Amino acid sequence: VCQTNHMPNRATISDVARLAGVSKSTVSRVLNNNLQYIRPETVEQVRNSIEALGYQPSSVARSLVSKRTLSVGLLISDVGNPFYSEVIRGVEEIALQQNYNVFLCNTSYDHARGLKFIQSLVNKQVDGVLLMSSSVSDEWINELARCRTPVVALDWHPTALVTEGSVGVIGVDFEAGIHQAVNHLIELGHRRFAHVSGPLGLHTSCARQQAFIKALENHGISPESVVTLEANLRLDGGRGALERLALLPEPPTGVFAANDLTAIGLVWAAQQSGLLIPEDLSVIGLDDIQLAAEILPPLTTVAMPRSEIGQMAMEMLLELINNAPEAKGIANSIDVSTSLVVRQSTGPAPDLVKRWRLP
């Protein structure tokens, strides 16, 4: 015979009022810290009753009163990319301080998948959405704007005027850090370069590639002489890029990768093939994920303030939520800078560029 374990009923606001000997409205006012015209001893009595019963206010009931669900959606591109773990941590830190829940959605760089997530979040009546994906689209923004859902997007550049809803943008100055990276390689004597980009259908991939080419042009190096390969922003993309670079008659001595995972995959493939880093090849990544400092040799990289980006994005979204009726279109915009972190994956250009002979 199966026995059912009966859990004690959850305490209600009526239970608190009965124990404290006050009305439910008085309990509600104490919970909302609206203490005007309530005697201090009554406030203490209500709070003692709340503690004694272990009463937890219903988030559903509160949302009916406040017209808010105290929840937000967070879209990221790749849950397997350590870059996003720091962004998520920054978002959650601010969200928890304000008693907000965060729904995490992994788009896997898939536009249709991201749109489905957005429609689901709108149906859940979240108070706002954070688009921390590198594949933000105008369609996502427009769908949220149409539903009057405040949104903050990372490094998004609108192609059309946004007139509905309220939108915040966290911009990223890639040029500053990438120019430092190029200057660093030039000072080390490098003159043969390659760039391993992310998918060029992504705005961020194009922005990083263009910043790299522009920085080289400042040193008199023509774009035609720079090898550019498209990859997928993952470890296997870096490994595949190394194999393609090895087929060149004169391989590069300096490589800038679109992110750290690509750079690390490239470094590991080079080492497995007998190449020395940085004696034969200097490699620079972008993001400064924790793993970048822990591989051998530690990776030189263009650093982005990942946790700070998450914090700023959540703070901006809360501001938009609180001012939603007044805010329209692009309501706020903040730019974050990037900078080069020099480690041991870069060194002087070799005197003779040897032909790579991979197994």
Side-chain angles (χ1 to χ4, degrees), residues 44-241:
E44 184 178 2
Q45 195 170 336
V46 170
R47 287 175 174 166
N48 288 339
S49 298
I50 290 171
E51 184 176 354
L53 293 171
Y55 172 70
Q56 294 289 332
S58 167
S59 59
V60 174
R62 283 192 163 186
S63 69
L64 291 173
V65 175
S66 66
K67 308 297 184 184
R68 293 182 183 174
T69 60
L70 295 182
S71 62
V72 298
L74 170 59
L75 271 69
I76 62 171
S77 296
D78 182 4
V79 72
N81 188 335
F83 168 82
Y84 289 107
S85 64
E86 290 293 320
V87 174
I88 294 167
R89 186 175 292 113
V91 169
E92 289 182 335
E93 181 178 334
I94 303 301
L96 288 173
Q97 290 175 10
Q98 302 299 321
N99 297 314
Y100 263 81
N101 296 309
V102 180
F103 293 114
L104 179 63
C105 306
N106 177 40
T107 69
S108 295
Y109 299 102
D110 187 317
H111 172 80
R113 180 183 171 102
L115 187 58
K116 285 184 178 180
F117 276 132
I118 285 172
Q119 292 165 344
S120 175
L121 291 168
V122 169
N123 289 337
K124 292 180 186 296
Q125 297 183 323
V126 295
D127 296 335
V129 174
L130 296 158
L131 301 179
M132 299 290 101
S133 168
S134 58
S135 56
V136 176
S137 78
D138 287 356
E139 188 176 4
W140 294 0
I141 299 286
N142 291 334
E143 178 69 12
L144 291 165
R146 184 181 65 81
C147 299
R148 301 293 195 275
T149 303
V151 56
V152 171
L154 175 63
D155 198 39
W156 171 70
H157 296 258
T159 58
L161 182 65
V162 178
T163 57
E164 294 183 297
S166 50
V167 182
V169 178
I170 305 290
V172 181
D173 177 13
F174 290 113
E175 285 196 5
I178 292 174
H179 280 229
Q180 291 174 27
V182 168
N183 291 342
H184 174 61
L185 290 173
I186 292 291
E187 289 171 359
L188 290 170
H190 294 273
R191 295 297 182 270
R192 299 190 63 81
F193 300 96
H195 173 57
V196 183
S197 75
L200 292 177
L202 302 179
H203 162 77
T204 53
S205 296
C206 294
R208 297 172 197 193
Q209 183 184 77
Q210 290 168 5
F212 184 64
I213 297 297
K214 180 179 178 181
L216 287 174
E217 285 184 301
N218 290 342
H219 291 278
I221 297 172
S222 68
E224 292 75 21
S225 67
V226 180
V227 178
T228 55
L229 302 177
E230 186 176 359
N232 61 5
L233 297 173
R234 297 187 172 105
L235 290 170
D236 63 321
R239 294 191 184 101

Side-chain angles (χ1 to χ4, degrees), residues 186-353:
I186 292 291
E187 289 171 359
L188 290 170
H190 294 273
R191 295 297 182 270
R192 299 190 63 81
F193 300 96
H195 173 57
V196 183
S197 75
L200 292 177
L202 302 179
H203 162 77
T204 53
S205 296
C206 294
R208 297 172 197 193
Q209 183 184 77
Q210 290 168 5
F212 184 64
I213 297 297
K214 180 179 178 181
L216 287 174
E217 285 184 301
N218 290 342
H219 291 278
I221 297 172
S222 68
E224 292 75 21
S225 67
V226 180
V227 178
T228 55
L229 302 177
E230 186 176 359
N232 61 5
L233 297 173
R234 297 187 172 105
L235 290 170
D236 63 321
R239 294 191 184 101
L242 190 282
E243 294 173 0
R244 285 185 281 169
L245 291 173
L247 298 176
L248 298 173
E250 294 182 305
T253 63
V255 176
F256 168 61
N259 72 345
D260 286 346
L261 285 185
T262 302
I264 291 169
L266 197 150
V267 167
W268 285 347
Q271 292 172 328
Q272 290 168 0
S273 301
L275 293 174
L276 299 178
I277 306 292
E279 289 82 356
D280 296 324
L281 179 68
S282 289
V283 180
I284 297 179
L286 188 149
D287 284 341
D288 195 25
I289 61 176
Q290 184 174 345
L291 183 60
E294 296 176 354
I295 67 167
L296 293 176
L299 184 68
T300 296
T301 184
V302 175
M304 288 176 60
R306 303 169 307 285
S307 180
E308 290 85 345
I309 286 173
Q311 292 173 358
M312 286 189 292
M314 187 62 202
E315 289 171 348
M316 184 184 291
L317 184 60
L318 289 170
E319 184 177 341
L320 294 180
I321 291 170
N322 292 330
N323 298 294
E326 294 80 19
K328 297 294 180 184
I330 307 297
N332 204 346
S333 179
I334 298 175
D335 288 331
V336 296
S337 61
T338 57
S339 59
L340 183 68
V341 177
V342 178
R343 298 194 180 102
Q344 284 77 57
S345 69
T346 49
D351 293 334
L352 296 175
V353 180

